[in-house]
Amino acid sequence: MEDAVMESMRLDRFLKEEGIATRSELRKIIRKGRVKVDGEVCTDPGHHVDPEINQVTFDDTPIHHSEYVYLMLNKPKGILTATSDRYARTVLDLLPDKYRLMKVFPAGRLDKDTEGLLLITNNGTLAHNLLSPKKRVPKLYEAQLDRYPGDSAITAFKEGVVINSEFTALPADLRFISMEPVIALVEIYEGKFHQVKRMFKAVGAEVVSLKRLKMGQLTLDEMLKPGEYRELTEEEKTLIGAE
Ligand code: URA
């Protein structure tokens, strides 16, 4: 893989990343002697392997390494959340080509004029878990509004804003952190099309600008300027359930 740096890692972690089993199941599997490293049975789950160098087998079937990558992007306004587009620049155009080769995609969607936290990964299972409506992963947004919609908006959000006859939003937490300009923090547990904008519209205010600050336990690194990205730290990967 183009200049991707592989590191040595624990045998149980390597096999977990390959989707063989959960970490606790893997410890048993390894202790039973079903895993070999370079042709030798290895019963130590903490034994370090380098996926680029060592040949690992499970029940004598070779395990080929597919590296997962997790990037935090501070999405700027004006960029599409997509992997490619004939006319517009997409979030993948902000990354070096090596990530495209690793088949990364955005986990979730921000509108073209929304900025802030976007997770980009090639781990489809993890992305699915974060985005599944059933999992109710909270997302925190900062919204600047054109006017103050009144305290009643806080209650309406708490009870679930009626958007139209087909869609009532799940209960959401709303608080105001500034009045001039009017800036609100809103935490929602689903991610329908234009959700935050439509929720504020339903209580009589227009969203002037929108920024995502958090997704689950993952917080936007304020050191990242719009358009900048970095790989998640080990701690952040744990927070999103990647490790
Ligand atoms: N809600 C919106 O209205 N837009 C976004 O980009 C994200 C949430």
Side-chain angles (χ1 to χ4, degrees), residues 11-242:
L11 184 58
D12 55 357
R13 180 175 154 209
F14 167 68
L15 290 166
K16 164 142 192 302
E17 285 193 3
E18 300 311 310
I20 306 296
T22 64
R23 195 119 165 205
S24 60
E25 285 163 352
L26 280 166
R27 291 202 182 113
K28 289 181 203 147
I29 287 171
I30 294 166
R31 291 206 175 99
K32 277 189 183 150
R34 294 170 66 187
V35 174
K36 288 181 187 159
V37 178
D38 298 332
E40 300 282 332
V41 170
C42 177
T43 54
D44 175 10
H47 178 79
H48 269 238
V49 289
D50 183 332
E52 287 222 316
I53 297 168
N54 301 117
Q55 164 75 260
V56 179
T57 60
F58 169 49
D59 286 345
D60 292 321
T61 305
I63 307 300
H64 298 291
H65 186 55
S66 59
E67 196 188 7
Y68 283 140
V69 65
Y70 306 92
L71 306 174
M72 172 190 295
L73 171 72
N74 184 355
K75 178 195 169 298
K77 292 179 181 175
I79 301 284
L80 271 192
T81 306
T83 50
S84 66
D85 189 85
R86 194 182 286 219
Y87 306 106
R89 288 182 81 208
T90 72
V91 288
L92 289 204
D93 294 328
L94 302 173
L95 306 175
D97 283 347
K98 71 171 183 180
Y99 293 116
R100 208 184 269 279
L101 294 174
M102 293 169 88
K103 300 202 171 10
V104 296
F105 57 88
R109 193 175 169 283
L110 292 177
D111 295 338
K112 194 171 177 187
D113 59 356
T114 300
E115 59 183 327
L117 176 63
L118 190 67
L119 176 69
I120 297 182
T121 182
N122 53 0
N123 185 338
T125 313
L126 180 109
H128 175 79
N129 282 340
L130 281 175
L131 302 173
S132 163
K134 284 189 211 131
K135 304 270 172 175
R136 305 251 160 118
V137 173
K139 288 148 203 121
L140 181 70
Y141 292 87
E142 183 183 281
Q144 185 176 334
L145 308 179
D146 68 338
R147 64 174 68 91
Y148 179 60
D151 291 349
S152 58
I154 297 172
T155 320
F157 272 48
K158 198 181 277 175
E159 287 170 357
V161 180
V162 180
I163 308 282
N164 57 38
S165 58
E166 278 132 51
F167 176 35
T168 298
L170 287 174
D173 299 312
L174 171 63
R175 65 194 170 93
F176 291 91
I177 55 169
S178 161
M179 282 300 159
E180 269 178 56
V182 180
I183 299 178
L185 287 179
V186 58
E187 189 163 48
I188 60 172
Y189 299 85
E190 57 193 335
K192 300 247 167 58
F193 185 61
H194 292 335
Q195 171 131 5
V196 172
K197 292 173 187 162
R198 288 158 80 204
M199 287 170 76
F200 279 110
K201 203 177 175 75
V203 295
E206 289 289 333
V207 171
V208 177
S209 71
L210 189 61
K211 179 175 180 180
R212 181 154 66 191
L213 303 177
K214 264 184 106 171
M215 187 167 170
Q217 297 299 307
L218 187 64
T219 304
L220 176 66
D221 181 345
E222 290 291 345
M223 299 298 283
L224 292 177
K225 298 193 189 82
E228 289 184 347
Y229 74 94
R230 66 162 170 78
E231 295 207 7
L232 294 195
T233 63
E234 291 303 315
E235 199 180 327
E236 287 168 334
K237 286 189 221 170
T238 309
L239 288 178
I240 59 166

